[in-house]
Amino acid sequence: MALDLSVEPGDEAMATITRRFLHVNGPATRDDYARWFAISPAAAGKHIAARGDDVAGIDVEGTPMWMLAADIKAATRCKPARVVRLLPAFDQYVVASTRQADNLLPGPLRARVYRPQGWLSPVLLVDGQMAGVWKHERKGARLTVRIEPFVDAPRWVRTAAENEAARLGAFLDAEPEVTWASD
């Protein structure tokens, strides 16, 4: 059950939480914010509206969303950066993308990421798109990393994902061994 938190004038904690959410996750709907903070959509809308000129309503492909007004200029200049990440299970990006996940997947693959009983898979992220899932297992000094791309991964994606696995191996003090399900 969602809490119905009222907006109190001068409630700096809620103002800070709302601004930080929109800075990290914007553009977002009031329902996205409500789900993330476990409050009612009405309360989420009140907290967003209470930010006044700090926030701006925008239209994203027909969906009304909110973001910090100060972030609009930077957002309009964004270009794909050829970024590849191996996100862990329950990563904030995946959690916050639940409602828009179908826009971030190359087809009807939602069940591969958002599994039963609320389990979220680790995700291969390519330029903000959920391009596959992955898993790892440590056995002694070895770290096996298995990547299952949803579509054919070009060489630059494979190289970048293998570099991510190497970073994970360094963090865990283990030698990574990467396999691809498509091989």
Side-chain angles (χ1 to χ4, degrees), residues 131-161:
V133 294
W134 67 282
K135 58 186 169 185
H136 73 284
E137 183 178 3
R138 185 176 180 156
K139 292 181 180 177
R142 306 267 326 140
L143 177 71
T144 59
V145 177
R146 177 145 176 90
I147 303 171
E148 301 175 21
F150 295 146
V151 296
D152 285 336
R155 172 72 4 226
W156 71 269
V157 169
R158 286 174 173 253
T159 299

Side-chain angles (χ1 to χ4, degrees), residues 10 21 32 44 48 51 61 69 73 78 92 94 104 108 122 124-125 145 152-153 163:
F21 173 83
D32 295 333
I48 292 169
R51 304 295 55 88
E61 297 178 357
K73 188 174 183 178
C78 285
Q92 175 59 31
V94 179
L104 301 174
L124 168 66
L125 194 72
V145 177
D152 285 336
N163 289 339

Side-chain angles (χ1 to χ4, degrees), residues 1 8-9 12 16 19 39 42 45 49 57 60 62 78 107 120 122 131 145 161 167 171:
M1 173 180 235
E8 298 292 329
E12 275 307 303
T16 298
R19 281 193 301 271
I39 59 178
V60 178
C78 285
L120 301 181
V145 177
R167 288 178 53 218
F171 178 76

Side-chain angles (χ1 to χ4, degrees), residues 84-183:
V84 176
R85 295 289 182 255
L86 294 178
L87 300 181
F90 300 98
D91 184 83
Q92 175 59 31
Y93 184 86
V94 179
V95 171
S97 299
T98 304
R99 293 183 184 264
Q100 287 82 25
D102 293 335
N103 299 323
L104 301 174
L105 289 160
L109 298 163
R110 180 184 197 91
R112 298 280 310 275
V113 174
Y114 300 93
R115 298 186 348 228
Q117 286 80 40
W119 192 260
L120 301 181
S121 297
V123 168
L124 168 66
L125 194 72
V126 178
D127 288 338
Q129 299 290 308
M130 294 183 215
V133 294
W134 67 282
K135 58 186 169 185
H136 73 284
E137 183 178 3
R138 185 176 180 156
K139 292 181 180 177
R142 306 267 326 140
L143 177 71
T144 59
V145 177
R146 177 145 176 90
I147 303 171
E148 301 175 21
F150 295 146
V151 296
D152 285 336
R155 172 72 4 226
W156 71 269
V157 169
R158 286 174 173 253
T159 299
E162 289 167 8
N163 289 339
E164 282 283 285
R167 288 178 53 218
L168 178 62
F171 178 76
L172 296 174
D173 195 26
E175 185 64 34
E177 180 181 304
V178 179
T179 60
W180 290 81
S182 57
D183 290 342

Side-chain angles (χ1 to χ4, degrees), residues 2-3 5 7 11-23 25-51 55 64-66 92 95-97 99-100:
L3 300 173
L5 301 174
V7 177
D11 187 351
E12 275 307 303
M14 282 307 300
T16 298
I17 290 167
T18 304
R19 281 193 301 271
R20 287 183 179 175
F21 173 83
L22 290 173
H23 178 65
N25 297 293
T29 66
R30 75 176 192 155
D31 289 344
D32 295 333
Y33 183 43
R35 184 176 187 284
W36 177 83
F37 201 54
I39 59 178
S40 71
K46 288 177 187 175
H47 289 297
I48 292 169
R51 304 295 55 88
V55 299
M65 294 187 162
W66 297 93
Q92 175 59 31
V95 171
S97 299
R99 293 183 184 264
Q100 287 82 25

